[in-house]
Amino acid sequence: MDWDAELYDRQHGFVGAYGNDLVDLVRAIAREREDGGGRALRILDVGCGTGAHLDALGEIGDAVGVD
């Protein structure tokens, strides 16, 4: 069987939607760290699937995804 990320997103896109609140939480934590003079976040997205959140996480800090 060949992996088809577009088909997966069309049929199971709702799965990625569950992570939206978590991305917002990570964004808030990053802001707090920056305000306190802390280091930028390094983010590991375990179970990233098609990588739907990696772009947003990459804007927050160094992000790597693995599924």
Side-chain angles (χ1 to χ4, degrees):
M1 177 179 177
D2 292 326
W3 174 251
D4 186 341
E6 290 177 10
L7 176 64
Y8 180 88
D9 280 340
R10 280 195 309 272
Q11 293 182 349
H12 305 286
F14 66 92
V15 174
Y18 290 128
N20 291 338
D21 290 339
L22 184 57
V23 172
D24 291 339
L25 176 63
V26 172
R27 187 175 286 118
I29 291 169
R31 265 189 248 115
E32 288 177 11
R33 287 184 78 157
E34 289 172 2
D35 291 344
R39 295 186 325 194
L41 292 180
R42 296 175 65 198
I43 304 161
L44 175 61
D45 184 355
V46 177
C48 68
T50 60
H53 294 106
L54 282 177
D55 285 339
L57 292 171
E59 293 174 4
I60 298 167
D62 291 330
V64 175
V66 64
D67 192 55

